[in-house]
Amino acid sequence: QRMFLACSGEVCSGSVFAMLDREHDDVGRVGGMWVDSTSRRQGIGLALLDAVFEWAKKNEFGELRL
């Protein structure tokens, strides 16, 4: 399980949780995602999801689910 953060210095403006699916070994899950309202529309959400995609690829998951 992982938590990815989008931070600038000590200020975090977003986060996303990535976890294993309890029922399927080859499936990952996005458990929750948050981007601060003042930081939206700057690509932070996409960057956070890209981190989850890389994690899933590294772990050879066949798919990701919400």
Side-chain angles (χ1 to χ4, degrees):
Q1 311 221 12
R2 298 283 186 269
M3 178 180 185
F4 298 98
L5 300 172
C7 301
S8 178
E10 293 187 20
V11 177
C12 291
S13 57
S15 65
V16 65
F17 294 96
M19 58 195 73
L20 304 174
D21 187 283
R22 292 182 183 176
E23 297 177 11
H24 308 333
D25 292 341
D26 64 338
V27 175
R29 289 200 168 269
V30 177
M33 186 168 149
W34 163 80
V35 176
D36 185 82
S37 61
T38 62
S39 299
R40 293 181 184 160
R41 298 200 167 270
Q42 298 178 29
I44 293 170
L46 182 58
L48 288 166
L49 286 176
D50 281 344
V52 175
F53 296 153
E54 286 299 315
W55 170 79
K57 184 178 177 181
K58 188 180 212 179
N59 287 282
E60 300 180 350
F61 293 136
E63 67 181 278
L64 280 172
R65 297 180 183 170
L66 295 175

